[in-house]
Amino acid sequence: MGTIEGQVVERGSGAMLFPASGPAITRNTDASGTFRFGPLVPGEYTVSVFFGTANARKDGLPVTAGEVTHLTFRFAFEPEVVRVKEKRPRFTPPEPVVSSIPLRPPYSDEAIMTNLWGVAWLLLNVDAHGTVTDVKVLKGPGHDLEPIAIETAKKFRFHPARDDGGTPIPSQFIYVMEWPSYWSVVAGFVMVPPCKDQSPLNLDSVNIVYRDCEPPPGLAHLRLTQPRPMDYPHFGFGPSRPPRGR
């Protein structure tokens, strides 16, 4: 006597065996999708399997005495996509407590010596009390300024974000921190330099440097632009405002 054994790669399926003569035989698959017919008289058989409304069959399957005929059926289902239209809930982003944000962050010795105009892109986590709980540097200017950026941002305070009902909630957003070139600050006159690769340097300026306006990878839509003078009070410079929270 022989045996037909197979597997349907979907749980909750079943199989039917059609011999050359006589009634069909039905089997439910087990938890792994396996079915088994036997013992069977040698000959040719047809096996039909089903899963929900899907079905498949194989004809002319040979059964040999003392042997197992193995089968595998695989249904390729297209995933069902359900689209739900829903209005995005209102969200009030966090607002900085201005007194907690210094006009200029502290400088590193290397930033002073190189007269760098530094730009750091930070990801801030702010809790429901407006406290900065975590700071990640997405892109930094180097020159030992990244640790300074983290320690400075941890001291920031915010009016927390609020949900649609006005309840304070945690939030996460990107904050741009900048260091104007140190020697222009010492000279008492800071003008925002051109973005790198955008404009020629003003060789008559007290800060002959470029400003790196390129955002971190994947955030091209947040590229910095050349600010207007009123955006940078006190000798033309002030702390960058964070983009709207999310």
Side-chain angles (χ1 to χ4, degrees), residues 116-236:
L116 171 80
W117 185 289
V119 179
W121 295 75
L122 310 175
L123 182 65
L124 305 186
N125 286 304
V126 179
D127 65 16
H129 301 288
T131 301
V132 177
T133 57
D134 188 47
V135 181
K136 288 184 174 60
V137 178
L138 302 180
K139 181 181 177 183
H143 301 275
D144 298 327
L145 290 175
E146 284 84 354
I148 294 176
I150 292 173
E151 290 306 312
T152 300
K154 284 181 178 179
K155 299 175 184 177
F156 290 176
R157 294 295 178 267
F158 292 85
H159 300 294
R162 295 180 181 273
D163 62 15
D164 197 20
T167 303
I169 57 173
S171 61
Q172 184 181 71
F173 62 94
I174 294 171
Y175 187 93
V176 181
M177 184 179 292
E178 297 198 46
W179 294 258
S181 56
Y182 181 80
W183 295 108
S184 63
V185 173
V186 172
F189 185 75
V190 178
M191 292 187 64
V192 181
C195 295
K196 188 182 297 184
D197 302 324
Q198 277 196 344
S199 304
L201 285 173
N202 180 3
L203 299 180
D204 295 328
S205 172
V206 293
N207 55 324
I208 307 174
V209 292
Y210 278 117
R211 179 171 178 249
D212 185 3
C213 299
E214 288 294 328
L219 297 175
H221 61 292
L222 296 180
R223 191 177 196 279
L224 297 181
T225 57
Q226 197 67 23
R228 301 167 299 171
M230 65 280 293
D231 293 330
Y232 285 77
H234 306 288
F235 302 110

Side-chain angles (χ1 to χ4, degrees), residues 107-112 114-116 118 140-148:
Y107 290 80
S108 65
D109 292 340
E110 190 174 344
I112 292 174
T114 57
N115 202 35
L116 171 80
H143 301 275
D144 298 327
L145 290 175
E146 284 84 354
I148 294 176

